[in-house]
Amino acid sequence: TMNENGNEPAYPYVSNAHNLGLTKREVMAKDLMAGLLANEKLFSNDAEREIKHLMDGACIRLAIQQADAMLAELKRTKQP
C-alpha cells in the first residue's frame, strides 16, 4: 500500500536488523516543507507573524498531505 511504501527507508541502512534514518514519507515532507518556507511570496512585511502561522501546523500539514499525494500518485503510475 501507499503507507507501506512511504514508511520504507529513503536511504536504507540496516544495523542489527533495524532500519536507521528517515522514511520516504518523512524525506518528502521535509523537502516539501523547506520549499514552502523558501517561497518569499508567502511573506509580507509582517514575516514574524506569518512564520508563526505557518509553523503552527498549516505548513506542516500541507507538506505531509503533499508527500502522501506524491506517494499515492507514484503507486498509481508505477511501471511493472
Side-chain angles (χ1 to χ4, degrees):
T1 69
M2 185 272 301
N3 285 338
E4 290 170 355
N5 181 35
N7 290 324
E8 291 177 8
Y11 308 105
Y13 172 74
V14 178
S15 175
N16 296 329
H18 295 286
N19 287 318
L20 305 176
L22 298 174
T23 65
K24 292 177 185 179
R25 183 176 188 237
E26 291 166 336
V27 168
M28 288 179 182
K30 172 189 74 68
D31 291 345
L32 287 159
M33 189 165 155
L36 289 169
L37 292 174
N39 184 353
E40 64 186 43
K41 293 180 181 178
L42 292 177
F43 304 104
S44 66
N45 293 334
D46 195 2
E48 184 176 330
R49 181 177 58 96
E50 292 172 1
I51 290 172
K52 185 175 188 279
H53 172 71
L54 286 171
M55 295 309 294
D56 74 358
C59 184
I60 295 165
R61 285 189 300 276
L62 179 58
I64 291 169
Q65 289 168 352
Q66 292 301 307
D68 288 345
M70 187 182 301
L71 287 165
E73 184 64 13
L74 287 169
K75 179 182 178 186
R76 188 184 73 74
T77 61
K78 185 175 182 177
Q79 299 294 321

